[in-house]
Amino acid sequence: MIESNELATLVGRGLSDFLSSRSSIVAQIGPELSPFLDFSREFLSGGKRFRAQFCFRGWQAVSTGRHASGQGGLETVIATCGALELFHAAALVHDDIIDNSDTRRGAPSAHVSFAELHRRSRWDGNPTTFGTGAATLLGDLLLGWSDELLDDGLDQLDDRTAARAARAEFNRMRTEVTAGQYLDILEERAWRDAADDEQRRRAERVLIFKSAKYSIESPLALGALLGGGNEQQLASLRGYGLPLGIAFQLRDDLLGVYGDPAVTGKPSGDDLREGKRTILIALTREALQPGARAILDELLGDPELDDDQIGLLQATIRDSGAVDQVEKLIQDHVARALSALGEAPINDDARAHLRGLAVAVARRET
């Protein structure tokens, strides 16, 4: 049985080997490209590896016979875990550009790092413009590499039907995340086009397609497809994965408003400055009187909010009861996920690991 720390080591080693294989290609072009490799390694060196863990446990949950021991079984799933981590890194690089976030995991975001490289080198032009362009290209490169690593893994799999199904799932995940990201930035700017009683539904749609499905449901399904899972097993794992993915993002929304910067690596109240129209905000607006709601709407999304204004918004949201409502939603969705897990026709070792992951997702602080 492979435990979580061993899995993280295997995935990290696979990513390191893959980046080394691509570094020779980049090095042949010119030494000026070394920041691409350096920043890539930095972005892929840490993190919780949640998506890799869910992918592996999805594979473990259904794998028997030739899918567990045949050619490419373990090698393919580890490569797929690495592809998910590359995809996630690409999404984070692009997300930080879109949200103008200066930090990621307590360190400068990619576009900030490239801008600082420009300043240190005293190059011509605007450092910020250079940083944004370079980081966009880095995100594109990581996205392309995620496809390459996935293909490398799928090529090793004997079961070509399973390989095609996994590729289709990955492709759908990529499309859904991109659509969800667009809806996210759209809601920040076009939210006034929707009636007040539509705000929560629209926030839920963003949550599901930008984060919930790609954070847990799709990695689980990818692993199960690689393991030759049947329709009932896949449906059960999706029944666990989607509500848990919703709980995952609801926790993230709370951390985006109230998280400790020393723990999250991002400034407290970052989502308030970015104007994120989350379920937390939708529930707050529903509870407020028109005057207080107007103040919330006026302040939300102002990048120049000072600490006092952040504190005011935090207190307004908490006093509205929205925080308690979101905590209750997290509990309810985790309970739904665990109920589906308990009835799923999967092996007990994977069930135990997935139960533990559900607890970790619900209680995380970063």
Side-chain angles (χ1 to χ4, degrees):
M1 182 193 306
I2 295 179
E3 298 297 333
S4 297
N5 56 350
E6 185 182 357
L7 174 62
T9 299
L10 288 172
V11 174
R13 187 182 302 145
L15 283 168
S16 179
D17 291 346
F18 176 83
L19 290 177
S20 294
S21 72
R22 296 311 185 263
S23 65
S24 60
I25 300 173
V26 175
Q28 289 176 7
I29 300 172
E32 302 92 338
L33 294 169
S34 61
F36 273 120
L37 296 169
D38 295 340
F39 294 155
S40 295
R41 292 187 185 280
E42 287 178 20
F43 265 78
L44 290 162
S45 63
K48 295 174 284 295
R49 306 273 194 234
F50 270 142
R51 289 156 190 83
Q53 291 189 55
F54 282 109
C55 179
F56 184 82
R57 299 308 169 192
W59 175 78
Q60 180 192 30
V62 305
S63 291
T64 57
R66 65 192 179 90
H67 288 97
S69 58
Q71 178 62 35
L74 181 60
E75 293 85 354
T76 294
V77 75
I78 294 299
T80 303
C81 289
L84 285 166
E85 292 296 315
L86 280 164
F87 181 87
H88 182 51
L92 293 182
V93 171
H94 286 155
D95 198 47
D96 286 340
I97 295 169
I98 292 167
D99 292 340
N100 292 312
S101 294
D102 291 341
T103 59
R104 171 67 61 180
R105 298 171 184 160
S109 301
H111 62 281
V112 174
S113 295
F114 277 114
E116 181 56 30
L117 173 64
H118 182 288
R119 290 188 187 92
R120 289 198 310 269
S121 304
R122 299 189 178 186
W123 293 331
D124 291 344
N126 186 290
T128 301
T129 302
F130 174 83
T132 299
T136 300
L137 293 171
L138 174 63
D140 292 347
L141 183 62
L142 291 169
L143 186 62
W145 279 350
S146 72
D147 251 11
E148 292 179 30
L149 184 52
L150 178 66
D151 285 342
D152 286 351
L154 294 180
D155 284 347
Q156 301 178 62
L157 195 63
D158 280 344
D159 187 339
R160 302 318 299 163
T161 299
R164 286 191 293 273
R167 164 50 76 182
E169 180 71 27
F170 192 91
N171 290 349
R172 183 173 70 172
M173 176 193 73
R174 183 175 53 205
T175 298
E176 288 177 342
V177 172
T178 305
Q181 180 69 72
Y182 175 76
L183 290 175
D184 187 35
I185 62 174
L186 180 68
E187 290 303 318
E188 291 173 21
R189 292 154 180 81
W191 62 271
R192 295 179 193 274
D193 290 349
D196 287 341
D197 60 3
E198 282 286 293
Q199 299 284 334
R200 192 195 308 193
R201 183 190 64 81
R202 290 165 70 104
E204 288 174 346
R205 184 176 60 165
V206 171
L207 179 151
I208 288 171
F209 288 102
K210 182 189 174 185
S211 177
K213 291 174 75 67
Y214 122 86
S215 294
I216 298 178
E217 182 190 345
S218 287
L220 267 174
L222 272 168
L225 288 166
L226 292 174
N230 60 42
E231 290 186 8
Q232 186 181 5
Q233 289 172 319
L234 278 164
S236 296
L237 289 171
R238 290 188 190 278
Y240 159 86
L242 183 57
L244 188 59
I246 292 172
F248 177 93
Q249 185 56 41
L250 288 172
R251 177 62 65 200
D252 201 64
D253 292 344
L254 288 174
L255 292 171
V257 174
Y258 297 103
D260 180 352
V263 178
T264 64
K266 296 178 74 71
S268 181
D270 221 25
D271 280 5
L272 301 175
R273 292 188 177 93
E274 293 168 8
K276 295 295 183 185
R277 291 282 161 173
T278 61
I279 290 177
L280 179 66
I281 295 301
L283 291 171
T284 301
R285 295 184 79 257
E286 290 175 9
L288 294 178
Q289 295 298 314
R293 188 186 306 149
I295 294 174
L296 173 71
D297 289 338
E298 180 182 351
L299 292 176
L300 193 67
D302 181 354
E304 303 302 323
L305 289 176
D306 59 30
D307 290 343
D308 289 340
Q309 291 171 313
I310 291 291
L312 172 64
L313 286 173
Q314 289 172 330
T316 298
I317 294 167
R318 190 180 298 280
D319 292 345
S320 76
V323 172
D324 291 337
Q325 286 179 273
V326 169
E327 289 286 4
K328 179 64 164 55
L329 285 172
I330 291 172
Q331 293 176 13
D332 291 346
H333 280 93
V334 171
R336 281 181 54 201
L338 291 176
S339 176
L341 182 65
E343 300 172 0
I346 60 176
N347 76 62
D348 288 336
D349 285 342
R351 195 191 319 274
H353 277 99
L354 290 172
R355 188 175 291 113
L357 283 170
V359 173
V361 162
R363 297 180 181 175
R364 69 192 179 95
E365 297 181 353
T366 62

